[in-house]
Amino acid sequence: MTASMSASFRAVLTAILLVSLAACASGGGLPTALSQRMDAKGVTLDRAQAIAIINQYRGTTGAPALTEDPTLDASADTLVLQYTQSGTQLPKPAGAVEVRYSAGYYNFAETFSGWRNSPADSAALTNASATRAGIAAHYDAGSPYGVYWVLVLG
């Protein structure tokens, strides 16, 4: 691990711990976007909290913060359903800067960790050209991976 990666990792870990401690202090346990299993009945992804976690990571690289975009959320919703049904990662939609796919991770903490630890995904997460984001998760009990994730950056 390089010194800069180590510093970035520590910064993200510190941010996650601070958010977790704040949630625990208020009696809420771990933040939903981090720990909530997406295969539980009636669960919805806390998109704002997931993007806030990504923004903490982006901040360690000097990339600007992302804002949640309802249009990109809708695009992510469509892509994640198609990804779940086909098992195929679809091309980047028009106007998107980056699209990240993941499958088999049951909560956002696992998904984010996978993206962060992949050089290509990490570069996409911290792409300074991106200023907006949409994210979606979908669970299908009959599918090979169970939970599917899509992040669209614009």
Side-chain angles (χ1 to χ4, degrees):
M1 182 178 290
T2 66
S4 64
M5 272 182 52
S6 179
S8 294
F9 177 75
R10 283 192 307 270
V12 169
L13 184 59
T14 300
I16 290 171
L17 289 172
L18 289 174
V19 170
S20 298
L21 288 173
C24 289
S26 66
L30 283 176
T32 302
L34 279 177
S35 62
Q36 180 63 56
R37 287 183 58 102
M38 297 310 297
D39 61 337
K41 186 175 177 139
V43 171
T44 58
L45 175 64
D46 185 334
R47 296 176 201 238
Q49 199 172 57
I51 292 171
I53 292 163
I54 294 169
N55 279 336
Q56 289 288 331
Y57 182 58
R58 287 172 63 85
T60 67
T61 67
L66 301 167
T67 57
E68 187 177 348
D69 183 304
T71 301
L72 293 180
D73 279 340
S75 180
D77 284 336
T78 298
L79 289 171
V80 81
L81 289 175
Q82 292 171 341
Y83 181 35
T84 302
Q85 293 167 357
S86 69
T88 303
Q89 297 178 4
L90 301 162
K92 180 171 51 174
V97 173
E98 299 280 358
V99 176
R100 296 291 97 184
Y101 290 90
S102 188
Y105 295 118
Y106 282 83
N107 63 45
F108 185 71
E110 294 170 343
T111 304
F112 174 73
S113 182
W115 283 336
R116 186 195 64 228
N117 291 322
S118 159
D121 291 337
S122 178
L125 288 176
T126 59
N127 184 330
S129 300
T131 58
R132 302 171 296 118
I135 189 167
H138 182 73
Y139 173 65
D140 181 344
S143 69
Y145 293 102
V147 180
Y148 296 78
W149 300 84
V150 174
L151 172 68
V152 180
L153 302 176

